[in-house]
Amino acid sequence: MFEVNKKLFNIGKNSKTSKEKTFGTKVKPDAKSWQEENRERISKFLSKAKENYNGIILPDINYEEGRYLYLALKEAGEAVNETGFMDMLASTEPPLLERFVHNQFLVCPHHKSSFLVNVRMFCPKCDSICVQRLHLFEHKSCGYLAEKSRFSEDNSQLKCPSCDKVVKNPQKEMRVPAAWYFCSDCGEKFDDATIRLYCKEYDHDFSISEAMTVTIYGYSVASSERFQFDYLKLKNDVVKTLSEFELAVEENYLVKGKSGNDHIIDVYATNKKGQSVFILINNSESNSVDSRIVQVLDTMPNTAILAGYPAISEKTKSVASKYNATVIASQNVQEILSEIKKIVSQKMNLGVTAAR
C-alpha cells in the first residue's frame, strides 16, 4: 500500500483549509495606507470643501424623517448618509478633518425614525397637561403682592389694585419675586411641574431618563489644510452677478456717513432711479456683522446685503432687517451669489438683462 505523504497535501493540525483562508478575518487598513490609496479622492474632497463650504461641513437635518445627510460627500462619491469617509480623514496623522459636536438632542427610545420631540408639563396631582406658569408680581412703591391677573389693565397699562396707581414702566416699578404652576383642571398650585417628553410622530409620552441621545457631528478642514474665506473671488463674482442687471457697479466705493465718517463699500451699485445697493463682504475674523450693521445705519442705503459670514444668530438677522439689511449666512459661494441675485431683483424691482 502506498503511504500518503501528509506534508505533500498540507494536512495536519497546523494546516488551514481553503475555506478558512478565504473567510479568515480581514485586517482593516490603517489610516496611513488608506490615505495613500485614496489620495486623489481626498484631495478633491478637501478642495471642494474649502471652496464651496468654507471648510466647514454640516449636515442637513430632517427632523420629521429622523435622518441627516452630508451633501458635501457627493464630492468624494460617497453615500451622503455615511460618515466613515470623513471619520477616516479625522483619524489620519496629522488629521485632515476635525470632528466636533454640531447638535445633540433627545429622541424617543422606541421610535427613532423621527426627531420630533416636545417637552410637556404635567400636573403632579391629576396628571393633566392643562398647566400654566404663574408669576408673583410686587408693586415696589406700595409693596402689594399678587399674580399678574390681579393687576387690572387700563389702556394697555397695568394698574395696581392696592394703591390704584398706573404702572407706567413695569421693568422699573415691578418686581417678580417668585413663580409657581397652576393646574386649570384640578385647581392645584405647585412649585414644580412634572416634565415629560412627547413623541409627536407616535403620540405618546416618555420620561427624560428613558430618552436616547442623538449626537450629530460636524467636520471642519484642519487648520493646516484650510484657507481663509476667499474675499477677492467672492467680490469679483458679485460684480459679475450685478452686471447682469442694469446697474452701475463700482468696487471699494467711498461713502460718507451721517456721522461724517467715511465707509468703504465692497461693491456699490445704483440703478437709473438713484436707488443704491451695498454689498458688504466679510474679509477678516475681526470684521464682525455688528460693525457692518453700524456702517449700514450710518449710510442708509436702499438695500444692504452682508455676505460671507458662516454662522449668524437669528437675533442678529432680526436687528439687520430693521435697517433694511439682509445677512446671507451661507458657506456655499454659489448659494451666496444666487441669494444676492434674488434679493437685488426683489428689493430694487429689476429684471435681468441678457449677458453680452
Side-chain angles (χ1 to χ4, degrees):
M1 297 292 292
F2 295 101
E3 184 178 353
V4 178
N5 188 338
K6 294 183 179 180
K7 291 183 180 180
L8 181 64
F9 292 96
N10 197 26
I11 299 174
K13 62 180 180 179
N14 293 325
S15 66
K16 291 184 179 180
T17 65
S18 59
K19 184 176 181 180
E20 288 175 323
K21 290 180 181 179
T22 304
F23 297 97
T25 303
K26 186 177 180 180
V27 179
K28 184 179 179 180
D30 59 27
K32 187 174 181 180
S33 60
W34 177 86
Q35 186 177 351
E36 288 294 329
E37 293 173 4
N38 295 274
R39 182 176 297 277
E40 187 175 338
R41 279 203 309 149
I42 293 171
S43 177
K44 179 183 177 182
F45 175 75
L46 293 178
S47 176
K48 290 294 184 180
K50 290 183 285 187
E51 179 182 347
N52 296 336
Y53 299 91
N54 200 25
I56 302 175
I57 302 163
L58 301 177
D60 285 356
I61 305 175
N62 188 318
Y63 291 91
E64 291 185 2
E65 298 179 7
R67 61 185 177 88
Y68 46 96
L69 307 175
Y70 296 86
L71 301 182
L73 284 171
K74 291 181 180 179
E75 308 291 353
E78 292 285 325
V80 295
N81 60 340
E82 297 289 342
T83 62
F85 181 78
M86 294 187 294
D87 289 334
M88 285 296 290
L89 292 179
S91 65
T92 58
E93 191 60 45
L96 299 176
L97 287 183
E98 296 170 355
R99 193 176 78 162
F100 59 91
V101 175
H102 170 60
N103 203 343
Q104 193 172 60
F105 44 84
L106 301 177
V107 298
C108 175
H110 307 295
H111 307 109
K112 305 167 193 173
S113 59
S114 171
F115 296 157
L116 295 177
V117 171
N118 283 354
V119 176
R120 298 209 294 187
M121 297 187 299
F122 291 81
C123 172
K125 182 179 180 181
C126 70
D127 213 34
S128 168
I129 61 172
C130 297
V131 174
Q132 56 181 311
R133 192 175 188 185
L134 302 177
H135 293 91
L136 183 66
F137 280 69
E138 178 187 358
H139 191 202
K140 292 181 181 179
S141 63
C142 70
Y144 177 73
L145 287 167
E147 297 170 9
K148 184 180 178 181
S149 59
R150 298 289 183 89
F151 289 82
S152 59
E153 292 192 13
D154 184 15
N155 295 326
S156 300
Q157 289 183 314
L158 297 177
K159 188 176 182 180
C160 178
S162 176
C163 64
D164 209 34
K165 289 183 179 179
V166 174
V167 180
K168 297 180 179 179
N169 191 334
Q171 291 185 340
K172 292 183 178 180
E173 300 177 48
M174 304 288 286
R175 192 170 70 90
V176 185
W180 62 87
Y181 297 91
F182 172 73
C183 176
S184 57
D185 277 353
C186 68
E188 184 77 5
K189 289 184 179 180
F190 41 91
D191 293 330
D192 296 307
T194 300
I195 303 297
R196 296 197 195 111
L197 299 177
Y198 173 65
C199 176
K200 293 178 67 176
E201 186 175 6
Y202 291 94
D203 189 28
H204 72 96
D205 299 298
F206 57 97
S207 67
I208 294 178
S209 61
E210 294 175 314
M212 293 191 66
T213 302
V214 171
T215 302
I216 298 178
Y217 294 97
Y219 298 82
S220 63
V221 177
S223 55
S224 59
E225 294 285 331
R226 190 185 307 171
F227 56 73
Q228 295 297 319
F229 185 84
D230 199 336
Y231 162 78
L232 292 176
K233 182 181 185 303
L234 179 58
K235 186 168 72 168
N236 291 335
D237 288 345
V238 168
V239 172
K240 291 178 183 177
T241 298
L242 292 181
S243 66
E244 298 178 6
F245 298 91
E246 294 180 351
L247 298 173
V249 184
E250 295 188 49
E251 297 180 49
N252 303 323
Y253 189 80
L254 189 66
V255 176
K256 186 175 289 292
K258 295 182 295 182
S259 64
N261 294 326
D262 292 331
H263 302 279
I264 297 177
I265 308 304
D266 299 302
V267 181
Y268 172 85
T270 55
N271 62 9
K272 294 178 181 179
K273 297 179 181 179
Q275 294 175 311
S276 60
V277 56
F278 290 5
I279 310 293
L280 304 171
I281 303 172
N282 177 28
N283 60 5
S284 71
E285 292 183 1
S286 60
N287 198 344
S288 67
V289 177
D290 292 339
S291 66
R292 291 299 205 176
I293 292 176
V294 170
Q295 282 186 288
V296 174
L297 182 60
D298 195 31
T299 53
M300 298 300 290
N302 296 104
T303 301
I305 301 173
L306 282 60
Y309 295 90
I312 303 295
S313 68
E314 290 301 320
K315 183 178 180 181
T316 301
K317 288 183 181 180
S318 177
V319 171
S321 65
K322 291 180 181 178
Y323 302 107
N324 207 27
T326 303
V327 182
I328 302 175
S330 172
Q331 299 166 337
N332 189 303
V333 174
Q334 293 304 317
E335 190 173 294
I336 292 174
L337 296 174
S338 177
E339 284 298 310
I340 288 176
K341 199 171 183 179
K342 186 190 303 180
I343 293 167
V344 171
S345 179
Q346 291 175 349
K347 294 273 188 179
M348 303 186 76
N349 195 24
L350 298 173
V352 182
T353 60
R356 295 181 179 179

